[in-house]
Amino acid sequence: MGNQLPKGSKSRLKRMPMSFIHHQTSPSHTGIRTVDVDNGFNLTTNSDLCVSIVTWNMNGQVSYDDIAEMVDNKRKFDLLVIGLQEAPCTRKKVATLLKAALDGSHTLIRKVTMKSLHLYLFGPKNAAPFIKELKVDKESVGGYGGIIGRKKGAIAIRINYNGIRMLFISCHLSAHERNVEERNSQWRHISHSLFSKIWNPYARPPHITVWLGDLNYRLQGVDTYPARNLIQKDLHQRLHGKDQLLQEAERGQIFNGFCEGTLTFKPTYKYDKGSSDYDTSYKVRVPAWTDRILFRIEDENNIQATLHSYESMDEIYGSDHKPVKAHLCLRLLQPSSN
């Protein structure tokens, strides 16, 4: 290491999670890099591992039909990561429905829950020999009770699978357009806190970190009816500049160095449950891309990540949010020393 640490900084560094040290100490920021979807990518010959990632705020509701549509196991993938927010309190039912929808094609590797936050990792039946590390953690940033006990915070799974080190973080941040700084602060707190209690200074950082969840960033500076008019005309790309998440990342506040697919799909919140109509309550909320999936590669010389799809699942009607799904295919460029 060419640079000397300032006096007294060693103890602070040790409290930081290994997965975010490089990110948090970077002297400059790059914001979020928008990446295109590669529809022609060959899943079988061009990758070592394909991961299907889903995030969904369930609004306390669950049905087998919605779960089966969300899982969609007709697509080829090795690992399936599902992050749920505002999941119903009967978490055993959710896990049972997920297993039933997969119909034996994949087995549950690990799950972690914190009240209404759930994170599930499924893999092939023969997954065990390929797993070298498997850890979970959780970090609360508040929330409240109610029927479904809505919880704010994050839960995470860290895994080394077939030589590829991955970190999956599913979160639910504070609501409302005005709470931008609160969401930024929660993101930073989660980034510093996850796995900090078991931080190993000799552990290697993950090849890829994936954030998913209801990040709750809204559209800023546009009223609901002009926004809906653009969406109705399939011109919602004109709203990208109003997106708080992209704005705050550009300011260097959050998600430095992360990538995200282009927001080609319509805003995923807020719908009238059971329909594809945006909020018709007296609040007539401004639609927003609250539900997102982002990823960061630690070193692009070591691993290649190709985004095969990034889409909302508009045919699912059981919540006031639409699920968002991404397919990531990973290829090691250099042999991993685990």
Side-chain angles (χ1 to χ4, degrees):
M1 299 286 290
N3 296 329
Q4 295 295 318
L5 291 171
K7 187 175 181 180
S9 65
K10 185 176 180 182
S11 62
R12 289 196 301 273
L13 183 63
K14 283 190 174 182
R15 286 198 295 270
M16 292 177 67
M18 64 94 177
S19 53
F20 289 94
I21 289 176
H22 173 76
H23 167 63
Q24 294 293 343
T25 57
S26 176
S28 62
H29 79 273
T30 59
I32 293 173
R33 179 157 58 102
T34 300
V35 296
D36 293 327
V37 166
D38 186 352
N39 290 314
F41 191 76
N42 190 315
L43 300 182
T44 56
T45 61
N46 292 357
S47 62
D48 297 318
L49 187 70
C50 285
V51 187
S52 181
I53 305 155
V54 182
T55 179
W56 188 26
N57 183 318
M58 305 179 77
N59 195 30
Q61 308 295 319
V62 64
S63 74
Y64 175 77
D65 289 344
D66 282 350
I67 291 289
E69 186 70 39
M70 181 182 70
V71 167
D72 184 21
N73 62 353
K74 296 185 294 295
R75 302 288 298 263
K76 290 183 179 179
F77 54 81
D78 300 299
L79 300 180
L80 173 63
V81 179
I82 298 177
L84 303 174
Q85 307 85 44
E86 296 190 16
C89 19
T90 53
R91 62 188 180 198
K92 288 185 179 179
K93 183 178 180 181
V94 174
T96 301
L97 291 176
L98 285 169
K99 291 176 183 177
L102 285 165
D103 194 26
S105 65
H106 290 69
T107 187
L108 181 64
I109 293 176
R110 196 68 165 89
K111 71 175 180 181
V112 55
T113 61
M114 183 172 66
K115 300 284 188 185
S116 59
L117 284 171
H118 295 193
L119 181 59
Y120 299 88
L121 174 61
F122 290 90
K125 293 179 180 179
N126 64 341
F130 300 100
I131 300 172
K132 303 300 181 186
E133 177 192 34
L134 186 59
K135 291 183 172 65
V136 302
D137 201 6
K138 57 185 75 175
E139 186 67 27
S140 172
V141 294
Y144 53 91
I147 297 176
I148 59 175
R150 292 180 177 90
K151 190 71 176 175
K152 298 299 191 294
I155 49 183
I157 297 176
R158 194 170 71 199
I159 185 172
N160 182 330
Y161 186 87
N162 199 22
I164 300 179
R165 300 184 300 274
M166 295 167 283
L167 174 61
F168 301 101
I169 302 170
S170 179
C171 73
H172 193 185
L173 305 183
S174 289
H176 306 304
E177 178 187 341
R178 64 182 179 274
N179 290 329
V180 180
E181 291 302 330
E182 185 174 337
R183 285 188 283 274
N184 292 351
S185 177
Q186 290 172 345
W187 184 86
R188 288 189 291 266
H189 173 77
I190 291 166
S191 298
H192 282 88
S193 300
L194 281 175
F195 296 106
S196 62
K197 298 178 183 66
I198 56 172
W199 183 68
N200 178 359
Y202 303 104
R204 305 193 67 183
H207 288 105
I208 184 169
T209 299
V210 179
W211 273 77
L212 57 146
D214 180 358
L215 277 66
N216 249 327
Y217 287 91
R218 307 302 175 93
L219 296 182
Q220 183 117 20
V222 61
D223 292 332
T224 190
Y225 293 112
R228 293 179 189 211
N229 187 46
L230 288 172
I231 295 167
Q232 187 176 17
K233 293 179 178 178
D234 202 25
L235 296 173
H236 41 273
Q237 70 273 11
R238 296 185 183 179
L239 297 171
H240 292 175
K242 306 292 186 181
D243 180 70
Q244 290 177 339
L245 177 60
L246 297 178
Q247 290 175 348
E248 294 305 301
E250 185 62 29
R251 290 179 56 222
Q253 299 300 302
I254 52 173
F255 287 107
N256 174 34
F258 275 74
C259 299
E260 184 184 23
T262 306
L263 295 171
T264 58
F265 50 88
K266 296 185 296 184
T268 53
Y269 174 83
K270 175 181 170 78
Y271 286 89
D272 290 340
K273 284 191 294 183
S275 78
S276 290
D277 298 325
Y278 285 115
D279 183 21
T280 59
S281 75
Y282 71 95
K283 293 183 179 180
V284 287
R285 292 173 181 85
V286 180
W289 287 285
T290 56
D291 311 279
R292 312 285 276 267
I293 300 172
L294 304 97
F295 62 95
R296 181 172 64 86
I297 300 298
E298 182 65 24
D299 186 344
E300 293 184 353
N301 293 316
N302 289 334
I303 192 168
Q304 179 186 64
T306 302
L307 186 63
H308 184 65
S309 68
Y310 189 43
E311 58 195 348
S312 63
M313 307 187 74
D314 297 339
E315 64 280 4
I316 292 179
Y317 304 102
S319 171
D320 53 357
H321 291 251
K322 298 297 185 182
V324 171
K325 174 180 280 191
H327 276 74
L328 267 176
C329 292
L330 309 175
R331 183 183 181 189
L332 279 175
L333 302 178
Q334 298 182 16
S336 174
S337 58
N338 296 334

